[in-house]
Amino acid sequence: MNIVVEFFFFVVTFKVLWAFVLAAARWLVRPKEKSVAGQVCLITGAGSGLGRLFALEFARRRALLVLWDINTQSNEETAGMVRHIYRDLEAADAAALQGNSDRRPRHFLIQENRTFTCQLGLCKENVYLTAERVRKEVGEVSVLVNNAGVVSGHHLLECPDELIERTMMVNCHAHFWTTKAFLPTMLEINHGHIVTVASSLGLFSTAGDYCASKFGVVGFHESLSHELKAAEKDGIKTTKEIEPFLPPLKPDYCVKQAMKAILTDQPMICTPRLMYIVTFMKSILPFEAVVCMYRFLGADKCMYPFIAQRKQATNNNEAKNGI
Amino acid sequence: MNIVVEFFFFVVTFKVLWAFVLAAARWLVRPKEKSVAGQVCLITGAGSGLGRLFALEFARRRALLVLWDINTQSNEETAGMVRHIYRDLEAADAAALQGNSDRRPRHFLIQENRTFTCQLGLCKENVYLTAERVRKEVGEVSVLVNNAGVVSGHHLLECPDELIERTMMVNCHAHFWTTKAFLPTMLEINHGHIVTVASSLGLFSTAGDYCASKFGVVGFHESLSHELKAAEKDGIKTTKEIEPFLPPLKPDYCVKQAMKAILTDQPMICTPRLMYIVTFMKSILPFEAVVCMYRFLGADKCMYPFIAQRKQATNNNEAKNGI
C-alpha cells in the first residue's frame, strides 16, 4: 500500500482512538465547569418549563439573563425569580466582604435581567427586531439557549395544518433565525456557545409534526456544529441536549445534567442515558425489531396520553386559548 | 423474577430475534416484487433527476403515472418518455398476442399518463387543490413517491431566509400536505405505499438548511411508519430511501436499488450500503471522532463544491432564475 495512504489511515485511526481516550477521561475526571458570570445568556421559551429552569441555573452562576417568551406574564414571573436569585447572591457577596474592605467583590455584580416578548413562530422579522433590541439594550449574546418548543398533540391526519406549521416554525425554523441573529458576532470574536434543546423524539419514535420538527432541529444543530468545526471556529461551542419526552425523570434533574454538559463544553447530552443505547439499537436493528423495541418502551404510543389529555381539555373548553 | 415479566421479556426477545431471521432471509432469498400494474402512482418532482428516473421505472412496470413538478416543460418531457415506454409495452404485448387470439392481454394496458404543475413549496392549498384534481381526473393514488427536493447551496449565514424557508417547505413540509391528501383513502382500504426520498444528509453531515429539512423528513417518515404500525394498518407500506448526496454512484443505479426495495416492501434502503455503517458509527463514536470520520469521508465539506458551483453560476448570471 502507498506509504502516504498508510500514514493517512494511521492519522485517522489515531485521532479516532484519541477521541475515545478524551471521552473516557471526561467520563472519569469531570472537567472544570467554565464561568458564565457576567456573560449575556439568552434563553428562548423562558416563561415556563425547561426554559425557566435553565434561567434559574444560569442566574445562580451570575450570568446576565435575557429572557424571551411569547407569554409576557409568565416571562416576567421567571424574571422575578431570577431577580430573587441575584439579590441572594448580592447579599451573600456583601456578607463575605463584611469586615474585609480590602477585598473586592469576587464577581461582576448583576443588577438586572431583561425580558423580551417574542413570537418565534410567527415571523422571522419579529426575531430579528427583538435581537436588535437585545444587542442595543443589553449587549452581545455569549450563550444562546434555543429552548422554545410547542407540541400540537394530535395524530397526523387529525392535526390542523396551522398547528403543524406552528410546530415546525417554533421548534425548527426559529433556530435558524436566532442563530443567524447572534452567530455573526460570536464568529467575529471566536467566542460563544449555542445550546439546542432537542428531544428524544428528535432521535426516534412517533409523534407526527413534533417528531419532524425535532429531527429537523437535530439536523440543524449537527450541521451547525460540523460547519463551525470545518471553519475551525473552535471558540464557539455547541451542545445538543436530548430531553426525554413526557419524562419519568424530573425536569430539574434533566436541566442540572444539561447545565453540567454546557459548562464543560460537552457536545451532546442525553437524559436518561438509556437513550444512547436506544439510538445505538436503532442503528443496528431491522425495522420490525425497532417496532418491537418501541412497543416495549411504549415509545410508539408515547404521544397518546398527551393527545387524550389535549382532547379532554378541548372538551372542557380549556384548551381553546392554548392552541 | 415474576413469571409474567419473564414471559414478556421472552416474547420481546423472540420477536427481535425473529425480525433478525426475517431480515437475513430477505437478504439471502430476495422476495418476489409486487405488481404495480394499473395502480395510480404519483411522483413529486418528476420533471428531472431521481423523480424522472422513478417515473420511467414505474412506467416500465405498467403503473398509471401522475407526475407533479413545478416546471411544466420538464414535467412534460418526462411524460413524453413515459408515453414512449407505454407504446413499447403495448407493441410488445401486441406482438406476444399475435396469432394467439385466445389469450387476453397479460396486463391492463395503460394509454395515458398525466402531468400536473404543482408548487409544493409555495402553499399547501395548491397541493390540496392539485390532489383533488388528481382524484377526480385519474383516481385514488396507491403509490405516493415524495421525491421533490431543492438545495439552496449556501453556508448557513450566507443563505437568504427565503431560500431556507423554501428548502424547509419543499423538502419537509410538503410531505405533510401530500400525505394528508392521499393517506385517508389508503387507510380506508388499508392499501397503499408511501415512499420518502430522503438523503444521506438526513442522517449526518453538514449542509445547513438542507440537512435540517432532510433530517425533518426522516423524522416525519419514521413517525408515520410507526404511527401506521401502532394503528395496525399493515396494508399500507412505507419505504424510506436514503440517497447519496452528490453521488459517486450513478442515479440510475440508486433508483434501481430503490425500486427493488419499494416493490419488496422494504422499510428502508441506503445507497451505497456504506451509509448503514456510517450511521452505526455515528451512534457509537464520540463527537470528536465523528468530526474526524466526516473529515475522512469529506462529508464535513460535501456541500462546498455545490456552493462553489452555485457561486460561479451566480457570477455568470446563470442562477438568477434558478433560485
PDB file of all heavy atoms in Angstrom, chain A residues 124 128 156 159 161 165 173 180 207-208 222-223 227 229 282 288 295, chain B residues 124 128 156 159 161 165 173 180 187 207-208 222-223 227 229 282 288 295:
ATOM      1  N   LYS A 124     -40.008  35.743  11.126  1.00  0.00           N
ATOM      2  CA  LYS A 124     -38.583  35.905  11.435  1.00  0.00           C
ATOM      3  C   LYS A 124     -38.238  37.365  11.713  1.00  0.00           C
ATOM      4  O   LYS A 124     -37.316  37.651  12.456  1.00  0.00           O
ATOM      5  CB  LYS A 124     -37.735  35.338  10.311  1.00  0.00           C
ATOM      6  CG  LYS A 124     -38.080  35.858   8.936  1.00  0.00           C
ATOM      7  CD  LYS A 124     -37.363  35.096   7.857  1.00  0.00           C
ATOM      8  CE  LYS A 124     -37.676  35.669   6.484  1.00  0.00           C
ATOM      9  NZ  LYS A 124     -39.072  35.437   6.062  1.00  0.00           N
ATOM     10  N   TYR A 128     -35.645  39.002  14.441  1.00  0.00           N
ATOM     11  CA  TYR A 128     -34.522  39.896  14.126  1.00  0.00           C
ATOM     12  C   TYR A 128     -34.659  41.249  14.848  1.00  0.00           C
ATOM     13  O   TYR A 128     -33.675  41.792  15.345  1.00  0.00           O
ATOM     14  CB  TYR A 128     -34.420  40.117  12.616  1.00  0.00           C
ATOM     15  CG  TYR A 128     -33.972  38.883  11.854  1.00  0.00           C
ATOM     16  CD1 TYR A 128     -34.453  38.609  10.587  1.00  0.00           C
ATOM     17  CD2 TYR A 128     -33.058  37.998  12.412  1.00  0.00           C
ATOM     18  CE1 TYR A 128     -34.045  37.471   9.889  1.00  0.00           C
ATOM     19  CE2 TYR A 128     -32.649  36.864  11.729  1.00  0.00           C
ATOM     20  CZ  TYR A 128     -33.138  36.606  10.473  1.00  0.00           C
ATOM     21  OH  TYR A 128     -32.731  35.489   9.796  1.00  0.00           O
ATOM     22  N   LEU A 156     -51.323  12.521  13.072  1.00  0.00           N
ATOM     23  CA  LEU A 156     -51.000  13.242  11.840  1.00  0.00           C
ATOM     24  C   LEU A 156     -52.241  13.734  11.089  1.00  0.00           C
ATOM     25  O   LEU A 156     -52.357  14.927  10.781  1.00  0.00           O
ATOM     26  CB  LEU A 156     -50.161  12.346  10.921  1.00  0.00           C
ATOM     27  CG  LEU A 156     -49.866  12.921   9.543  1.00  0.00           C
ATOM     28  CD1 LEU A 156     -49.025  14.179   9.638  1.00  0.00           C
ATOM     29  CD2 LEU A 156     -49.163  11.899   8.664  1.00  0.00           C
ATOM     30  N   CYS A 159     -54.353  16.471  12.796  1.00  0.00           N
ATOM     31  CA  CYS A 159     -53.686  17.715  13.196  1.00  0.00           C
ATOM     32  C   CYS A 159     -53.968  18.826  12.189  1.00  0.00           C
ATOM     33  O   CYS A 159     -53.662  18.684  10.997  1.00  0.00           O
ATOM     34  CB  CYS A 159     -52.187  17.481  13.312  1.00  0.00           C
ATOM     35  SG  CYS A 159     -51.337  18.871  14.055  1.00  0.00           S
ATOM     36  N   ASP A 161     -53.544  21.918   9.835  1.00  0.00           N
ATOM     37  CA  ASP A 161     -52.323  22.363   9.141  1.00  0.00           C
ATOM     38  C   ASP A 161     -51.629  23.502   9.883  1.00  0.00           C
ATOM     39  O   ASP A 161     -50.406  23.579   9.927  1.00  0.00           O
ATOM     40  CB  ASP A 161     -52.675  22.833   7.724  1.00  0.00           C
ATOM     41  CG  ASP A 161     -53.159  21.681   6.858  1.00  0.00           C
ATOM     42  OD1 ASP A 161     -52.968  20.522   7.269  1.00  0.00           O
ATOM     43  OD2 ASP A 161     -53.736  21.947   5.796  1.00  0.00           O
ATOM     44  N   GLU A 165     -47.729  23.701  11.023  1.00  0.00           N
ATOM     45  CA  GLU A 165     -46.834  24.802  10.641  1.00  0.00           C
ATOM     46  C   GLU A 165     -46.254  25.483  11.874  1.00  0.00           C
ATOM     47  O   GLU A 165     -45.061  25.797  11.915  1.00  0.00           O
ATOM     48  CB  GLU A 165     -47.590  25.802   9.767  1.00  0.00           C
ATOM     49  CG  GLU A 165     -47.749  25.293   8.341  1.00  0.00           C
ATOM     50  CD  GLU A 165     -48.615  26.176   7.468  1.00  0.00           C
ATOM     51  OE1 GLU A 165     -49.621  26.713   7.971  1.00  0.00           O
ATOM     52  OE2 GLU A 165     -48.298  26.318   6.293  1.00  0.00           O
ATOM     53  N   HIS A 173     -37.663  26.137  12.549  1.00  0.00           N
ATOM     54  CA  HIS A 173     -37.246  27.325  11.787  1.00  0.00           C
ATOM     55  C   HIS A 173     -36.639  28.400  12.692  1.00  0.00           C
ATOM     56  O   HIS A 173     -35.662  29.046  12.320  1.00  0.00           O
ATOM     57  CB  HIS A 173     -38.441  27.948  11.051  1.00  0.00           C
ATOM     58  CG  HIS A 173     -39.000  27.074   9.966  1.00  0.00           C
ATOM     59  ND1 HIS A 173     -39.545  27.575   8.815  1.00  0.00           N
ATOM     60  CD2 HIS A 173     -39.101  25.737   9.840  1.00  0.00           C
ATOM     61  CE1 HIS A 173     -39.960  26.572   8.048  1.00  0.00           C
ATOM     62  NE2 HIS A 173     -39.709  25.454   8.656  1.00  0.00           N
ATOM     63  N   LYS A 180     -28.868  32.983  13.177  1.00  0.00           N
ATOM     64  CA  LYS A 180     -28.402  33.978  12.213  1.00  0.00           C
ATOM     65  C   LYS A 180     -28.273  35.355  12.858  1.00  0.00           C
ATOM     66  O   LYS A 180     -27.457  36.175  12.451  1.00  0.00           O
ATOM     67  CB  LYS A 180     -29.366  34.045  11.012  1.00  0.00           C
ATOM     68  CG  LYS A 180     -29.141  32.922  10.008  1.00  0.00           C
ATOM     69  CD  LYS A 180     -30.017  33.057   8.797  1.00  0.00           C
ATOM     70  CE  LYS A 180     -29.394  33.950   7.736  1.00  0.00           C
ATOM     71  NZ  LYS A 180     -30.184  33.969   6.491  1.00  0.00           N
ATOM     72  N   ALA A 207     -44.521  10.808  16.644  1.00  0.00           N
ATOM     73  CA  ALA A 207     -45.330  11.936  17.109  1.00  0.00           C
ATOM     74  C   ALA A 207     -45.483  12.984  16.014  1.00  0.00           C
ATOM     75  O   ALA A 207     -45.349  14.175  16.257  1.00  0.00           O
ATOM     76  CB  ALA A 207     -44.713  12.537  18.354  1.00  0.00           C
ATOM     77  N   GLY A 208     -45.742  12.525  14.801  1.00  0.00           N
ATOM     78  CA  GLY A 208     -46.074  13.379  13.662  1.00  0.00           C
ATOM     79  C   GLY A 208     -45.216  14.609  13.502  1.00  0.00           C
ATOM     80  O   GLY A 208     -44.000  14.520  13.321  1.00  0.00           O
ATOM     81  N   GLU A 222     -26.545  19.583  14.288  1.00  0.00           N
ATOM     82  CA  GLU A 222     -25.370  18.800  13.872  1.00  0.00           C
ATOM     83  C   GLU A 222     -24.653  19.489  12.722  1.00  0.00           C
ATOM     84  O   GLU A 222     -23.427  19.563  12.670  1.00  0.00           O
ATOM     85  CB  GLU A 222     -25.790  17.379  13.463  1.00  0.00           C
ATOM     86  CG  GLU A 222     -26.213  16.560  14.667  1.00  0.00           C
ATOM     87  CD  GLU A 222     -26.426  15.086  14.351  1.00  0.00           C
ATOM     88  OE1 GLU A 222     -26.083  14.626  13.250  1.00  0.00           O
ATOM     89  OE2 GLU A 222     -26.956  14.391  15.232  1.00  0.00           O
ATOM     90  N   SER A 223     -25.467  19.997  11.808  1.00  0.00           N
ATOM     91  CA  SER A 223     -24.923  20.690  10.655  1.00  0.00           C
ATOM     92  C   SER A 223     -24.126  21.923  11.095  1.00  0.00           C
ATOM     93  O   SER A 223     -23.009  22.160  10.642  1.00  0.00           O
ATOM     94  CB  SER A 223     -26.097  21.090   9.763  1.00  0.00           C
ATOM     95  OG  SER A 223     -25.648  21.719   8.637  1.00  0.00           O
ATOM     96  N   GLU A 227     -20.235  22.561  10.705  1.00  0.00           N
ATOM     97  CA  GLU A 227     -19.846  23.720   9.893  1.00  0.00           C
ATOM     98  C   GLU A 227     -18.836  24.571  10.676  1.00  0.00           C
ATOM     99  O   GLU A 227     -17.840  25.045  10.110  1.00  0.00           O
ATOM    100  CB  GLU A 227     -21.096  24.545   9.531  1.00  0.00           C
ATOM    101  CG  GLU A 227     -20.946  25.323   8.236  1.00  0.00           C
ATOM    102  CD  GLU A 227     -22.257  25.858   7.669  1.00  0.00           C
ATOM    103  OE1 GLU A 227     -23.141  25.065   7.324  1.00  0.00           O
ATOM    104  OE2 GLU A 227     -22.388  27.079   7.575  1.00  0.00           O
ATOM    105  N   LYS A 229     -16.835  23.454  13.030  1.00  0.00           N
ATOM    106  CA  LYS A 229     -15.592  22.663  13.094  1.00  0.00           C
ATOM    107  C   LYS A 229     -14.819  22.793  11.783  1.00  0.00           C
ATOM    108  O   LYS A 229     -13.598  22.955  11.794  1.00  0.00           O
ATOM    109  CB  LYS A 229     -15.924  21.181  13.351  1.00  0.00           C
ATOM    110  CG  LYS A 229     -16.221  20.878  14.798  1.00  0.00           C
ATOM    111  CD  LYS A 229     -14.942  20.707  15.588  1.00  0.00           C
ATOM    112  CE  LYS A 229     -15.222  20.492  17.056  1.00  0.00           C
ATOM    113  NZ  LYS A 229     -14.003  20.609  17.875  1.00  0.00           N
ATOM    114  N   LYS A 282     -31.203   1.386  17.463  1.00  0.00           N
ATOM    115  CA  LYS A 282     -31.933   1.776  16.243  1.00  0.00           C
ATOM    116  C   LYS A 282     -31.037   1.654  15.011  1.00  0.00           C
ATOM    117  O   LYS A 282     -31.518   1.385  13.913  1.00  0.00           O
ATOM    118  CB  LYS A 282     -32.430   3.224  16.405  1.00  0.00           C
ATOM    119  CG  LYS A 282     -33.515   3.604  15.437  1.00  0.00           C
ATOM    120  CD  LYS A 282     -33.863   5.068  15.564  1.00  0.00           C
ATOM    121  CE  LYS A 282     -33.980   5.696  14.203  1.00  0.00           C
ATOM    122  NZ  LYS A 282     -33.965   7.132  14.212  1.00  0.00           N
ATOM    123  N   GLU A 288     -38.498  -4.151  11.839  1.00  0.00           N
ATOM    124  CA  GLU A 288     -39.504  -4.854  12.646  1.00  0.00           C
ATOM    125  C   GLU A 288     -39.051  -4.966  14.105  1.00  0.00           C
ATOM    126  O   GLU A 288     -39.873  -4.916  15.020  1.00  0.00           O
ATOM    127  CB  GLU A 288     -39.775  -6.246  12.071  1.00  0.00           C
ATOM    128  CG  GLU A 288     -40.563  -6.237  10.762  1.00  0.00           C
ATOM    129  CD  GLU A 288     -41.932  -5.593  10.871  1.00  0.00           C
ATOM    130  OE1 GLU A 288     -42.517  -5.606  11.969  1.00  0.00           O
ATOM    131  OE2 GLU A 288     -42.412  -5.038   9.853  1.00  0.00           O
ATOM    132  N   ARG A 295     -42.464  -0.640  20.944  1.00  0.00           N
ATOM    133  CA  ARG A 295     -43.652  -1.121  21.673  1.00  0.00           C
ATOM    134  C   ARG A 295     -43.279  -1.465  23.101  1.00  0.00           C
ATOM    135  O   ARG A 295     -44.007  -1.155  24.036  1.00  0.00           O
ATOM    136  CB  ARG A 295     -44.226  -2.355  20.964  1.00  0.00           C
ATOM    137  CG  ARG A 295     -45.061  -1.931  19.790  1.00  0.00           C
ATOM    138  CD  ARG A 295     -45.888  -3.049  19.211  1.00  0.00           C
ATOM    139  NE  ARG A 295     -46.482  -2.552  17.961  1.00  0.00           N
ATOM    140  CZ  ARG A 295     -46.960  -3.306  17.010  1.00  0.00           C
ATOM    141  NH1 ARG A 295     -46.961  -4.601  17.143  1.00  0.00           N
ATOM    142  NH2 ARG A 295     -47.480  -2.764  15.921  1.00  0.00           N
TER     143      ARG A 295
ATOM    144  N   LYS B 124     -49.808  25.157   0.844  1.00  0.00           N
ATOM    145  CA  LYS B 124     -50.428  23.835   0.964  1.00  0.00           C
ATOM    146  C   LYS B 124     -51.733  23.764   0.183  1.00  0.00           C
ATOM    147  O   LYS B 124     -52.125  22.697  -0.279  1.00  0.00           O
ATOM    148  CB  LYS B 124     -50.630  23.481   2.431  1.00  0.00           C
ATOM    149  CG  LYS B 124     -51.389  24.520   3.230  1.00  0.00           C
ATOM    150  CD  LYS B 124     -51.356  24.186   4.703  1.00  0.00           C
ATOM    151  CE  LYS B 124     -52.171  25.187   5.503  1.00  0.00           C
ATOM    152  NZ  LYS B 124     -51.557  26.535   5.520  1.00  0.00           N
ATOM    153  N   TYR B 128     -53.325  20.692  -2.025  1.00  0.00           N
ATOM    154  CA  TYR B 128     -54.644  20.076  -1.818  1.00  0.00           C
ATOM    155  C   TYR B 128     -55.520  20.182  -3.072  1.00  0.00           C
ATOM    156  O   TYR B 128     -56.227  19.242  -3.424  1.00  0.00           O
ATOM    157  CB  TYR B 128     -55.356  20.710  -0.618  1.00  0.00           C
ATOM    158  CG  TYR B 128     -54.709  20.379   0.714  1.00  0.00           C
ATOM    159  CD1 TYR B 128     -54.661  21.307   1.745  1.00  0.00           C
ATOM    160  CD2 TYR B 128     -54.141  19.125   0.936  1.00  0.00           C
ATOM    161  CE1 TYR B 128     -54.063  20.997   2.965  1.00  0.00           C
ATOM    162  CE2 TYR B 128     -53.540  18.812   2.148  1.00  0.00           C
ATOM    163  CZ  TYR B 128     -53.507  19.752   3.160  1.00  0.00           C
ATOM    164  OH  TYR B 128     -52.916  19.439   4.360  1.00  0.00           O
ATOM    165  N   LEU B 156     -24.693  28.521   6.144  1.00  0.00           N
ATOM    166  CA  LEU B 156     -25.827  28.976   6.942  1.00  0.00           C
ATOM    167  C   LEU B 156     -26.002  30.493   6.957  1.00  0.00           C
ATOM    168  O   LEU B 156     -27.067  31.016   6.648  1.00  0.00           O
ATOM    169  CB  LEU B 156     -25.691  28.447   8.382  1.00  0.00           C
ATOM    170  CG  LEU B 156     -26.732  28.957   9.372  1.00  0.00           C
ATOM    171  CD1 LEU B 156     -28.129  28.502   8.991  1.00  0.00           C
ATOM    172  CD2 LEU B 156     -26.415  28.518  10.782  1.00  0.00           C
ATOM    173  N   CYS B 159     -26.970  32.193   3.632  1.00  0.00           N
ATOM    174  CA  CYS B 159     -28.184  31.735   2.945  1.00  0.00           C
ATOM    175  C   CYS B 159     -29.348  32.695   3.199  1.00  0.00           C
ATOM    176  O   CYS B 159     -29.722  32.933   4.348  1.00  0.00           O
ATOM    177  CB  CYS B 159     -28.548  30.333   3.435  1.00  0.00           C
ATOM    178  SG  CYS B 159     -29.842  29.593   2.445  1.00  0.00           S
ATOM    179  N   ASP B 161     -32.913  34.128   3.912  1.00  0.00           N
ATOM    180  CA  ASP B 161     -34.001  33.491   4.675  1.00  0.00           C
ATOM    181  C   ASP B 161     -35.025  32.829   3.755  1.00  0.00           C
ATOM    182  O   ASP B 161     -35.574  31.772   4.078  1.00  0.00           O
ATOM    183  CB  ASP B 161     -34.714  34.540   5.540  1.00  0.00           C
ATOM    184  CG  ASP B 161     -33.801  35.078   6.631  1.00  0.00           C
ATOM    185  OD1 ASP B 161     -32.753  34.452   6.873  1.00  0.00           O
ATOM    186  OD2 ASP B 161     -34.134  36.119   7.211  1.00  0.00           O
ATOM    187  N   GLU B 165     -36.407  29.013   3.945  1.00  0.00           N
ATOM    188  CA  GLU B 165     -37.828  28.673   4.053  1.00  0.00           C
ATOM    189  C   GLU B 165     -38.265  27.777   2.899  1.00  0.00           C
ATOM    190  O   GLU B 165     -39.004  26.810   3.095  1.00  0.00           O
ATOM    191  CB  GLU B 165     -38.673  29.952   4.089  1.00  0.00           C
ATOM    192  CG  GLU B 165     -38.610  30.610   5.451  1.00  0.00           C
ATOM    193  CD  GLU B 165     -39.304  31.953   5.512  1.00  0.00           C
ATOM    194  OE1 GLU B 165     -39.209  32.716   4.532  1.00  0.00           O
ATOM    195  OE2 GLU B 165     -39.936  32.235   6.532  1.00  0.00           O
ATOM    196  N   HIS B 173     -42.060  20.228   4.737  1.00  0.00           N
ATOM    197  CA  HIS B 173     -43.486  20.495   4.964  1.00  0.00           C
ATOM    198  C   HIS B 173     -44.370  19.815   3.916  1.00  0.00           C
ATOM    199  O   HIS B 173     -45.440  19.301   4.243  1.00  0.00           O
ATOM    200  CB  HIS B 173     -43.771  21.994   4.924  1.00  0.00           C
ATOM    201  CG  HIS B 173     -43.147  22.763   6.054  1.00  0.00           C
ATOM    202  ND1 HIS B 173     -43.733  23.857   6.633  1.00  0.00           N
ATOM    203  CD2 HIS B 173     -41.977  22.595   6.723  1.00  0.00           C
ATOM    204  CE1 HIS B 173     -42.953  24.325   7.590  1.00  0.00           C
ATOM    205  NE2 HIS B 173     -41.883  23.576   7.652  1.00  0.00           N
ATOM    206  N   LYS B 180     -51.272  13.988   3.871  1.00  0.00           N
ATOM    207  CA  LYS B 180     -52.624  14.266   4.371  1.00  0.00           C
ATOM    208  C   LYS B 180     -53.651  14.193   3.247  1.00  0.00           C
ATOM    209  O   LYS B 180     -54.814  13.867   3.474  1.00  0.00           O
ATOM    210  CB  LYS B 180     -52.674  15.650   5.043  1.00  0.00           C
ATOM    211  CG  LYS B 180     -52.115  15.635   6.458  1.00  0.00           C
ATOM    212  CD  LYS B 180     -52.261  16.980   7.143  1.00  0.00           C
ATOM    213  CE  LYS B 180     -53.593  17.144   7.823  1.00  0.00           C
ATOM    214  NZ  LYS B 180     -53.694  18.369   8.614  1.00  0.00           N
ATOM    215  N   LEU B 187     -55.929   4.516   4.072  1.00  0.00           N
ATOM    216  CA  LEU B 187     -56.326   3.966   5.368  1.00  0.00           C
ATOM    217  C   LEU B 187     -57.676   3.262   5.268  1.00  0.00           C
ATOM    218  O   LEU B 187     -57.877   2.197   5.853  1.00  0.00           O
ATOM    219  CB  LEU B 187     -56.399   5.083   6.424  1.00  0.00           C
ATOM    220  CG  LEU B 187     -55.061   5.595   6.960  1.00  0.00           C
ATOM    221  CD1 LEU B 187     -55.263   6.828   7.824  1.00  0.00           C
ATOM    222  CD2 LEU B 187     -54.330   4.519   7.767  1.00  0.00           C
ATOM    223  N   ALA B 207     -24.824  20.658   6.071  1.00  0.00           N
ATOM    224  CA  ALA B 207     -25.338  21.405   4.930  1.00  0.00           C
ATOM    225  C   ALA B 207     -26.517  22.280   5.323  1.00  0.00           C
ATOM    226  O   ALA B 207     -27.510  22.353   4.608  1.00  0.00           O
ATOM    227  CB  ALA B 207     -25.719  20.451   3.812  1.00  0.00           C
ATOM    228  N   GLY B 208     -26.392  22.949   6.465  1.00  0.00           N
ATOM    229  CA  GLY B 208     -27.349  23.951   6.919  1.00  0.00           C
ATOM    230  C   GLY B 208     -28.803  23.577   6.762  1.00  0.00           C
ATOM    231  O   GLY B 208     -29.273  22.598   7.345  1.00  0.00           O
ATOM    232  N   GLU B 222     -40.335   8.325   9.728  1.00  0.00           N
ATOM    233  CA  GLU B 222     -40.263   7.317  10.795  1.00  0.00           C
ATOM    234  C   GLU B 222     -41.513   7.377  11.668  1.00  0.00           C
ATOM    235  O   GLU B 222     -42.082   6.361  12.056  1.00  0.00           O
ATOM    236  CB  GLU B 222     -39.004   7.527  11.643  1.00  0.00           C
ATOM    237  CG  GLU B 222     -37.744   7.154  10.878  1.00  0.00           C
ATOM    238  CD  GLU B 222     -36.491   7.133  11.741  1.00  0.00           C
ATOM    239  OE1 GLU B 222     -36.583   7.228  12.975  1.00  0.00           O
ATOM    240  OE2 GLU B 222     -35.396   7.032  11.153  1.00  0.00           O
ATOM    241  N   SER B 223     -41.904   8.618  11.947  1.00  0.00           N
ATOM    242  CA  SER B 223     -43.082   8.831  12.767  1.00  0.00           C
ATOM    243  C   SER B 223     -44.318   8.240  12.092  1.00  0.00           C
ATOM    244  O   SER B 223     -45.116   7.533  12.718  1.00  0.00           O
ATOM    245  CB  SER B 223     -43.228  10.335  12.971  1.00  0.00           C
ATOM    246  OG  SER B 223     -44.298  10.609  13.785  1.00  0.00           O
ATOM    247  N   GLU B 227     -46.560   5.204  13.364  1.00  0.00           N
ATOM    248  CA  GLU B 227     -47.968   5.516  13.636  1.00  0.00           C
ATOM    249  C   GLU B 227     -48.860   4.488  12.916  1.00  0.00           C
ATOM    250  O   GLU B 227     -49.848   4.009  13.476  1.00  0.00           O
ATOM    251  CB  GLU B 227     -48.287   6.948  13.168  1.00  0.00           C
ATOM    252  CG  GLU B 227     -49.432   7.574  13.940  1.00  0.00           C
ATOM    253  CD  GLU B 227     -49.540   9.092  13.769  1.00  0.00           C
ATOM    254  OE1 GLU B 227     -48.595   9.815  14.157  1.00  0.00           O
ATOM    255  OE2 GLU B 227     -50.561   9.540  13.254  1.00  0.00           O
ATOM    256  N   LYS B 229     -47.953   1.450  12.078  1.00  0.00           N
ATOM    257  CA  LYS B 229     -47.752   0.171  12.763  1.00  0.00           C
ATOM    258  C   LYS B 229     -48.584   0.123  14.047  1.00  0.00           C
ATOM    259  O   LYS B 229     -49.210  -0.886  14.350  1.00  0.00           O
ATOM    260  CB  LYS B 229     -46.261  -0.023  13.114  1.00  0.00           C
ATOM    261  CG  LYS B 229     -45.423  -0.485  11.940  1.00  0.00           C
ATOM    262  CD  LYS B 229     -45.526  -1.984  11.775  1.00  0.00           C
ATOM    263  CE  LYS B 229     -44.779  -2.471  10.557  1.00  0.00           C
ATOM    264  NZ  LYS B 229     -45.125  -3.856  10.210  1.00  0.00           N
ATOM    265  N   LYS B 282     -21.809   6.605  13.810  1.00  0.00           N
ATOM    266  CA  LYS B 282     -22.235   7.868  14.424  1.00  0.00           C
ATOM    267  C   LYS B 282     -22.881   7.631  15.786  1.00  0.00           C
ATOM    268  O   LYS B 282     -22.792   8.466  16.681  1.00  0.00           O
ATOM    269  CB  LYS B 282     -23.224   8.579  13.481  1.00  0.00           C
ATOM    270  CG  LYS B 282     -23.445  10.032  13.801  1.00  0.00           C
ATOM    271  CD  LYS B 282     -24.524  10.623  12.931  1.00  0.00           C
ATOM    272  CE  LYS B 282     -25.443  11.463  13.765  1.00  0.00           C
ATOM    273  NZ  LYS B 282     -26.678  11.826  13.093  1.00  0.00           N
ATOM    274  N   GLU B 288     -15.883  14.108  18.713  1.00  0.00           N
ATOM    275  CA  GLU B 288     -14.620  14.442  18.045  1.00  0.00           C
ATOM    276  C   GLU B 288     -14.240  13.362  17.019  1.00  0.00           C
ATOM    277  O   GLU B 288     -13.663  13.670  15.974  1.00  0.00           O
ATOM    278  CB  GLU B 288     -13.488  14.611  19.066  1.00  0.00           C
ATOM    279  CG  GLU B 288     -13.600  15.873  19.916  1.00  0.00           C
ATOM    280  CD  GLU B 288     -13.564  17.163  19.100  1.00  0.00           C
ATOM    281  OE1 GLU B 288     -12.971  17.166  18.020  1.00  0.00           O
ATOM    282  OE2 GLU B 288     -14.171  18.160  19.552  1.00  0.00           O
ATOM    283  N   ARG B 295     -14.461  14.244   8.276  1.00  0.00           N
ATOM    284  CA  ARG B 295     -13.336  14.822   7.521  1.00  0.00           C
ATOM    285  C   ARG B 295     -12.747  13.772   6.589  1.00  0.00           C
ATOM    286  O   ARG B 295     -12.415  14.050   5.443  1.00  0.00           O
ATOM    287  CB  ARG B 295     -12.259  15.345   8.469  1.00  0.00           C
ATOM    288  CG  ARG B 295     -12.661  16.685   9.012  1.00  0.00           C
ATOM    289  CD  ARG B 295     -11.550  17.399   9.756  1.00  0.00           C
ATOM    290  NE  ARG B 295     -12.130  18.578  10.384  1.00  0.00           N
ATOM    291  CZ  ARG B 295     -11.599  19.243  11.371  1.00  0.00           C
ATOM    292  NH1 ARG B 295     -10.446  18.865  11.872  1.00  0.00           N
ATOM    293  NH2 ARG B 295     -12.206  20.298  11.874  1.00  0.00           N
TER     294      ARG B 295
END
